[in-house]
Amino acid sequence: MPRKIFVFDAHPVADTLNAHMAQTYLAAAQATGHDLRHQSLSQMAFDPDFGQTHYRHTKALEPDLEAFMQALEWSDHLVMTMPMWWGSYPAKTKALLDRSLMAGRAFDTRNPNIIGLPAPMLSGRSARVIITSDTPRIFQRLAYGDAFQKQIKGQVTGFVGIKPTRFTWLAPAGTPKPGVVEKWAAKVETLGRKGM
């Protein structure tokens, strides 16, 4: 069945391996008949500063952030490509999440659950996060306990109701061996065809 898929290249720089994987996914998904929207963080302009606290005096979303939220709300599947830098997001990626996933749009603080967490407002969507890193996958799991994935799944996508969130780990990405990028692209192409 065709899906409404929002492909977001969450790398702050253009023309990267992340952009290549986003384009690979888009081409495969489009060829299979999925309905697509696409956005690249490197092309977005917005103030990264959240502003005042407690969600009371927040800034209006700039057009690029509003477009991001509209695409996310429209979709039933989110695909994000991003690098892991220093164990987490690039600063601009984190700023986008801080500014766009706001109370009243992504979660409802007026309707907490039994332990006090706000109600998610983006339920009914799934996600695929394609991570590039210099840290080998096995080391990320054994040494760090998949901390980055747990952060994304538990405190971002899961917090706003996007479940399940699945991960594709491409590493080591800094100096991949000959033929490895092509193998990664083939894997991402398969995901795009299936809308996964």
Side-chain angles (χ1 to χ4, degrees):
M1 291 291 293
R3 305 186 75 185
K4 295 187 293 184
I5 303 173
F6 176 32
V7 179
F8 183 62
D9 173 12
H11 198 300
V13 180
D15 300 322
T16 63
L17 178 59
N18 291 96
H20 175 58
M21 293 302 157
Q23 291 299 326
T24 298
Y25 187 102
L26 278 165
Q30 186 172 37
T32 315
H34 295 291
D35 196 0
L36 298 160
R37 293 190 187 180
H38 173 249
Q39 203 170 9
S40 295
L41 181 63
S42 64
Q43 304 303 309
M44 297 173 71
F46 59 90
D47 184 351
D49 185 19
F50 176 82
Q52 301 299 318
T53 58
H54 306 299
Y55 306 116
R56 287 193 293 260
H57 305 289
T58 55
K59 305 170 196 166
L61 296 183
E62 291 91 339
D64 285 339
L65 293 182
E66 180 59 35
F68 173 85
M69 283 306 298
Q70 287 183 11
L72 185 55
E73 291 164 339
W74 161 86
S75 71
D76 54 44
H77 186 57
L78 168 67
V79 175
M80 283 197 300
T81 64
M82 70 170 68
M84 183 183 78
W85 289 355
W86 296 107
S88 190
Y89 314 95
K92 189 174 179 181
T93 309
K94 179 65 164 61
L96 174 126
L97 298 173
D98 287 346
R99 289 288 319 283
S100 58
L101 297 179
M102 296 298 298
R105 190 98 180 243
F107 56 93
D108 183 1
T109 56
R110 299 165 302 175
N111 188 23
N113 64 15
I114 194 167
I115 61 170
L117 292 175
M121 297 180 70
L122 295 174
S123 300
R125 294 163 182 82
S126 57
R128 166 76 56 180
V129 183
I130 300 168
I131 299 173
T132 58
S133 172
D134 286 339
T135 305
R137 179 70 187 95
I138 189 68
F139 193 80
Q140 173 68 13
R141 179 181 296 143
L142 297 178
Y144 302 121
D146 284 338
F148 188 34
Q149 292 94 308
K150 288 177 181 176
Q151 179 187 13
I152 295 169
K153 188 175 182 177
Q155 297 177 284
V156 181
T157 56
F159 186 83
V160 299
I162 300 174
K163 297 178 181 178
T165 296
R166 296 183 173 92
F167 296 89
T168 300
W169 191 269
L170 307 181
T175 53
K177 294 178 181 177
V180 169
V181 171
E182 290 76 13
K183 288 180 181 178
W184 291 343
K187 181 188 297 186
V188 170
E189 188 175 304
T190 298
L191 293 171
R193 285 197 303 269
K194 294 180 178 180
M196 297 176 62

